[in-house]
Amino acid sequence: MSRPAAAAPVPWGLVILLGALTAFAPMSIDMYLPSLPAIGEALGASAAQTQTTVAAFFAGMAIGQFIYGPASDRFGRRGPILFGIAVYLAATAVCALSTTPEMLIAARFVQALGGCAGGVVARAIVRDHFDHTETARMLSLLMLVMGIAPIVAPLVGGLILQVAGWRAIFWVLLAFAFVVGAFALFRLEESRSAATAIQARGENPFAAFGALLRQRRLVGYALAGALNGATLFTYIAASPVLLIEVYGISPSNFGWVFGLNAAGVIGASQANRYLLRYMGPDQVLARASLIAVGFGLMLALAAVSGIGERWTVLPLLFLILSTYGFIQGNTMAGALSVDATRSGSVSALMGGASFGVGAVAASLTGLAYDGTPGPMGVAMALALAGSALALRTLALPRPVVP
C-alpha cells in the first residue's frame, strides 16, 4: 500500500464555524424531539399535529435550500447566511411564544427556511476553497463538528424540558443562533469566486438548475446521497416509537441510544477522511454502497422475521447509519466537482433532494407502520439498493473494482 498523501493543514477556525452553521438543522430537530408529547398536551394538539411540526421543518429545509444556493452564487456567501440566520431568529422566537398548533407548525416551517441557509452555503464555501478530494475530507470534518448535535441535543432537550419546560428549548436554540450569527458576521470572509459570480449573473436560477439536471453524473450523486440519507430520515421519524414503545426503552435512555447511533456516523466520517489518503472518493463510494446494501438486506430480514428482536435490529441500525458517514461527504464532493461554477446551486440541489426524498421515505414508512420495525427495515433496504444502483449507473465515471 502506498504512503498516505500529505494532507493540507486543517483550518480549524473555518471548520468549526461552518460546522456550527451546518448544525442548525440537527439542533433544531433533535433537541426538540423529547418535547413532542409535552407540546401536544400544552397546545391541545393531536398526535398528527405534533408530528406535522416535524414534517413542516423538513419541508422548509427542502424548499429553502433552492433559494439560498442560487442566491449565494449570485450575491455572495455571506449575505444569504446572515439573512437566513435573521429569519431563523425571528421564527424561533415565534415558536417559543406559540399558543396554537397551527401557529407552531407555521413557525417551524419558517424556522427551517432560515436555518437551512447555513448548511447549503457552508458546503459551497468548502468547494470555494478546496479540490474534489480535499472537499470530501473537509466535509468529513464538518460532520465531526455538526455530528456533536445529534449526540448532545436530545439529552440537553430532555434536561431543559424537565427543568424549564418545552418553550425554553426554543429560547436556547435562539441563543445558539445568535452566537453563531455573531461569529459569522465578524469572522466569515467572502469566498465566492469571480467565475461563479459571472456565471450566476448570466443565467436565472431555473436555468442553472436545468443545466445541472442535464448532467448525468450530478443526478447520480444526488440520487445516491438522497436515497442513502433517506435511511437517516426514516430512523429519525421512527426512532421514538421504535425505541420507546416497541422495545420498551425509557424516555430518559432514548437520548443515549440516539446519541450512540450519531457517534457511529461521526466515527465513520472520520474513518472516511483517513481512507481518502489512500483512494479517491469514488472508490470509497463504490465499496461503501455495496456494504450498505448488505447491511440493509440483513436489517430487512431481521425486522420482518423478528429474529433476535432488538439485539439484531439495533446493531444493524447502527451499522447502516454509520454508512452515512462514508457516503454523504463523498457524494456531495463528487457533485460539487461536476460544476464548480455553480457550487451554490449544486449544494442546494443535493440538500433539497436529500430532505425531499427523506421526508417522503419517512412519511411512507409511518403510513405503513404495523407495530413492528418491519416497514422501517424494508424501506431502508430499498433505499440503500436504489442508492447503490444510482451510483453505479449514473455517477461513477468508470467501473471501480472493489
Side-chain angles (χ1 to χ4, degrees):
M1 183 176 290
S2 60
R3 292 172 61 86
V10 176
W12 282 108
L14 180 64
V15 169
I16 292 172
L17 177 54
L18 295 182
L21 289 168
T22 309
F24 272 76
M27 286 284 289
S28 302
I29 295 169
D30 301 334
M31 187 179 292
Y32 163 82
L33 287 177
S35 67
L36 285 179
I39 290 174
E41 183 178 352
L43 300 183
S46 65
Q49 285 176 315
T50 57
Q51 289 297 324
T52 300
T53 64
V54 179
F57 190 90
F58 286 158
M61 289 292 297
I63 294 170
Q65 301 202 43
F66 291 104
I67 299 172
Y68 293 107
S72 73
D73 285 341
R74 182 177 290 263
F75 303 112
R77 311 304 188 198
R78 279 172 48 85
I81 284 179
L82 296 175
F83 178 81
I85 291 175
V87 171
Y88 181 94
L89 288 169
T92 302
V94 176
C95 288
L97 299 172
S98 292
T99 55
T100 66
E102 294 77 13
M103 184 177 178
L104 181 59
I105 290 169
R108 284 285 284 175
F109 177 78
V110 178
Q111 185 191 39
L113 285 179
C116 70
V120 66
V121 182
R123 295 189 294 265
I125 291 173
V126 171
R127 187 63 184 93
D128 291 340
H129 288 286
F130 303 100
D131 63 17
H132 184 177
T133 299
E134 284 299 321
T135 292
R137 288 177 177 170
M138 282 294 295
L139 290 173
S140 294
L141 273 179
L142 290 191
M143 197 171 291
L144 171 63
V145 176
M146 69 167 286
I148 296 173
I151 297 175
V152 175
L155 301 174
V156 173
L159 179 62
I160 294 173
L161 179 65
Q162 291 181 350
V163 174
W166 67 269
R167 296 183 189 274
I169 293 174
F170 289 109
W171 293 122
V172 170
L173 288 173
L174 188 145
F176 166 79
F178 181 83
V179 171
V180 175
F183 274 94
L185 176 63
F186 294 109
R187 301 299 298 271
L188 184 63
E189 298 179 357
E190 183 57 58
S191 62
R192 181 193 56 167
S193 69
T196 296
I198 293 171
Q199 178 72 46
R201 289 169 185 160
E203 64 182 0
N204 64 58
F206 295 102
F209 285 124
L212 293 175
L213 289 173
R214 288 192 293 271
Q215 302 197 49
R216 176 175 174 172
R217 288 188 62 210
L218 191 144
V219 171
Y221 284 125
L223 287 174
L227 288 168
N228 178 264
T231 61
L232 180 64
F233 283 90
T234 300
Y235 166 71
I236 290 173
S239 60
V241 173
L242 175 67
L243 297 180
I244 297 173
E245 296 184 12
V246 177
Y247 289 146
I249 295 172
S250 68
S252 60
N253 288 327
F254 168 80
W256 293 106
V257 178
F258 198 90
L260 178 63
N261 286 322
V265 175
I266 295 174
S269 69
Q270 299 318 294
N272 175 66
R273 183 167 168 257
Y274 176 77
L275 286 176
L276 290 171
R277 297 181 178 183
Y278 296 95
M279 60 184 72
D282 285 340
Q283 292 175 299
V284 176
L285 283 172
R287 292 160 172 79
S289 62
L290 288 181
I291 293 171
V293 170
F295 289 148
L297 292 175
M298 286 189 285
L299 175 65
L301 176 63
V304 171
S305 67
I307 296 174
E309 295 186 339
R310 74 175 72 181
W311 304 112
T312 53
V313 169
L314 293 184
L316 286 169
L317 269 177
F318 175 86
L319 293 172
I320 286 174
L321 293 172
S322 295
T323 68
Y324 185 89
F326 289 102
I327 292 176
Q328 289 303 304
N330 291 324
T331 52
M332 180 63 70
L336 288 168
S337 73
V338 172
D339 192 339
T341 61
R342 297 187 179 100
S343 56
S345 296
V346 171
S347 179
L349 185 64
M350 293 290 288
S354 180
F355 273 92
V357 172
V360 170
S363 298
L364 292 177
T365 303
L367 290 174
Y369 178 66
D370 60 359
T372 75
M376 179 196 69
V378 172
M380 287 187 172
L382 290 174
L384 293 170
S387 175
L389 182 64
L391 191 65
R392 279 175 155 70
T393 58
L394 297 173
L396 296 183
R398 63 181 62 87
V400 179
V401 179

